Amino acid sequence: MTARPCAAPGLPGRVAQSKIGNRKLAIAFTLVEMLVAILILVVGVALCVGVGSMVREGSQSEETRNIQAVLRSALHVYHGNESAWPAGDGTPESTTGLINALRKDQSARAELAKLPQQAILVDDTGGEFVMDGFGNRMLYHQTGGLAGGPLLISPGKNPRDPADDINADVN
């Protein structure tokens, strides 16, 4: 009796003849090989999700800095035409007064037009708020920046964590 060679050794689902007698064995993946393959896939997905969230957070931070740059520019134009900075006490509602003051000045209004459409939110009461790239209300302080000038603050990714705030000094 001669042993016939397997047509495709090592491929799953193929049948090979055993060297011990006439028993036919199915050659397939072992449980360990399947677990290793699943582990590799899980690690790959975890890396992709981690990198994706870092990229998203970076783009939200960049969008926030761009919004702050437009507001800084509008504030400089406003301050060049007026003697004082617009009033603002650092509450989320302070940006409503800031937007209203900047819209009264024609040159500052032209700068405000450069803001992305989603940067200004109108609530149920008609108040307008400046939103950062994370979807949080920005804060405006009339004083508090360098040399006592205005300060724009984004609460960042986590509004409860002051360590991730994005501050922009207007001076």
Side-chain angles (χ1 to χ4, degrees), residues 116-165:
Q117 187 175 11
Q118 72 272 13
I120 296 182
L121 172 76
V122 180
D123 70 358
D124 297 337
T125 65
E128 293 180 302
F129 300 96
V130 179
M131 307 300 285
D132 64 8
F134 299 96
N136 301 317
R137 293 179 179 182
M138 291 183 62
L139 310 173
Y140 168 70
H141 291 270
Q142 182 179 11
T143 59
L146 294 173
L151 184 64
L152 297 166
I153 300 174
S154 161
K157 180 181 175 183
N158 183 0
R160 294 187 179 126
D161 182 11
D164 71 350
D165 289 359

Side-chain angles (χ1 to χ4, degrees), residues 47-171:
L47 288 173
C48 289
V49 168
V51 169
S53 66
M54 285 177 40
V55 168
R56 184 177 62 246
E57 186 178 333
S59 69
Q60 290 169 330
S61 294
E62 186 63 31
E63 181 180 356
T64 299
R65 287 186 191 92
N66 290 338
I67 291 168
Q68 289 176 335
V70 170
L71 288 173
R72 252 192 333 264
S73 176
L75 278 164
H76 280 293
V77 169
Y78 177 87
H79 189 62
N81 296 336
E82 301 290 327
S83 60
W85 298 105
D89 58 359
T91 62
E93 292 77 20
S94 64
T95 58
T96 300
L98 172 66
I99 296 297
N100 290 336
L102 293 176
R103 285 197 173 137
K104 290 178 184 175
D105 184 278
Q106 185 176 4
S107 301
R109 188 173 42 242
E111 288 296 316
L112 277 181
K114 297 176 184 176
L115 281 174
Q117 187 175 11
Q118 72 272 13
I120 296 182
L121 172 76
V122 180
D123 70 358
D124 297 337
T125 65
E128 293 180 302
F129 300 96
V130 179
M131 307 300 285
D132 64 8
F134 299 96
N136 301 317
R137 293 179 179 182
M138 291 183 62
L139 310 173
Y140 168 70
H141 291 270
Q142 182 179 11
T143 59
L146 294 173
L151 184 64
L152 297 166
I153 300 174
S154 161
K157 180 181 175 183
N158 183 0
R160 294 187 179 126
D161 182 11
D164 71 350
D165 289 359
I166 302 172
N167 299 332
D169 192 355
V170 175
N171 285 332

Side-chain angles (χ1 to χ4, degrees), residues 24-41:
K24 294 186 178 179
L25 300 175
I27 300 173
F29 290 114
T30 64
L31 180 61
V32 172
E33 291 171 332
M34 289 296 283
L35 290 175
V36 168
I38 290 171
L39 178 67
I40 290 170
L41 289 173

